[in-house]
Amino acid sequence: MCQYGQLSALRAPENRLNLRAFCQAAGGVDEGSVSAIILAGGVGKRMGAPIPKQYIKVEGKPIASYSLEMFAKMPEVGELVVVCLEEWQYIFEEAYKNLPDDYKKPLIWARPGGERQDSVYNGFKATRKDASLVAIHDSARPLVNAQDARNCMIDGVKDGAAVLGVPVKPTIKEVNDDGTVCKTLVRSRLWEVQTPQCIKPALLEEGFQAVKENNLEVTDDVSIIEAIGKPVRITKGSYTNIKVTTPDDMAVMERFLADQKSESVAA
């Protein structure tokens, strides 16, 4: 794996070729080779707020801006494709404007579709053709950390498709239509999937073709790859990478952010 603690010096313009060779030799991901697709087209009905949940401010910043900033700061990411309604573009434009110049990279727009898979497809079609990987991320997951995302990218390059996930903690039961228990699932084999979900473009294109031809509906991005019988790698992530969908989730996010600040001060 590429030793990213050594990247600061290597990122200087005169050392860019050295950085590429360094990361390739270490089994990492080439600088600028990933297109990050940030999904921000949802309406967030469960939040019960007057605006979509991803645009609510937490600690003075819109939820969606946290992941935009994180991906912008990753050297692996070469462009940021934001899928949102035009009326909300200003949220990302303001966050982008506040980035240090070293982290600014092309900011591309795409529009949401009727379903999640349609939004992903629109974002995918807006990516540049020479990207080696697309990293699809839900903007309602503001606390994803760069190392987890990087690990998922590495697995995506190696295996073709990868998704962040964590082992489930509670016991999960499958239930019949009448509310009685059908069976208890084996917890050790169950994972809760998160984002980003990192997929090679050619594989994603093949998957979308199958979805279209068979009129399939999928609930997450790597399900598109599962639909064509290709393997998907689970990359172990962090339990802090929550999806903010309810007011309770916002309170949890605030606690996690407070913990991060305390850790930074202590360090």
Side-chain angles (χ1 to χ4, degrees), residues 176-239:
N176 296 311
D177 292 340
D178 64 359
T180 59
V181 172
C182 172
K183 63 180 177 180
T184 300
L185 303 180
V186 181
R187 184 170 57 185
S188 62
R189 301 187 64 184
L190 298 177
W191 288 65
E192 177 186 349
V193 298
Q194 306 172 340
T195 64
Q197 304 195 9
C198 301
I199 306 168
K200 287 186 175 180
L203 197 57
L204 188 56
E205 183 71 54
E206 182 184 351
F208 270 122
Q209 186 64 33
V211 166
K212 181 178 180 181
E213 290 175 356
N214 297 288
N215 196 29
L216 301 176
E217 288 189 14
V218 294
T219 56
D220 74 337
D221 315 311
V222 292
S223 293
I224 297 171
I225 308 307
E226 295 170 42
I228 57 175
K230 299 297 175 65
V232 174
R233 174 73 58 186
I234 290 280
T235 304
K236 190 172 183 179
S238 302
Y239 288 100

Side-chain angles (χ1 to χ4, degrees), residues 260-267:
Q260 289 176 5
K261 285 184 179 179
S262 297
E263 291 171 2
S264 296
V265 171

Side-chain angles (χ1 to χ4, degrees), residues 59 234 241:
E59 296 291 318
I234 290 280
N241 185 17

Side-chain angles (χ1 to χ4, degrees), residues 20 30 54 56 58 63-64 75-76 82 102 119 160 214 229 235-236:
R20 178 178 291 271
D30 283 350
Q54 62 269 28
I56 297 171
V58 176
I63 288 172
E76 297 88 348
V82 176
D102 285 350
S119 296
N214 297 288
T235 304
K236 190 172 183 179

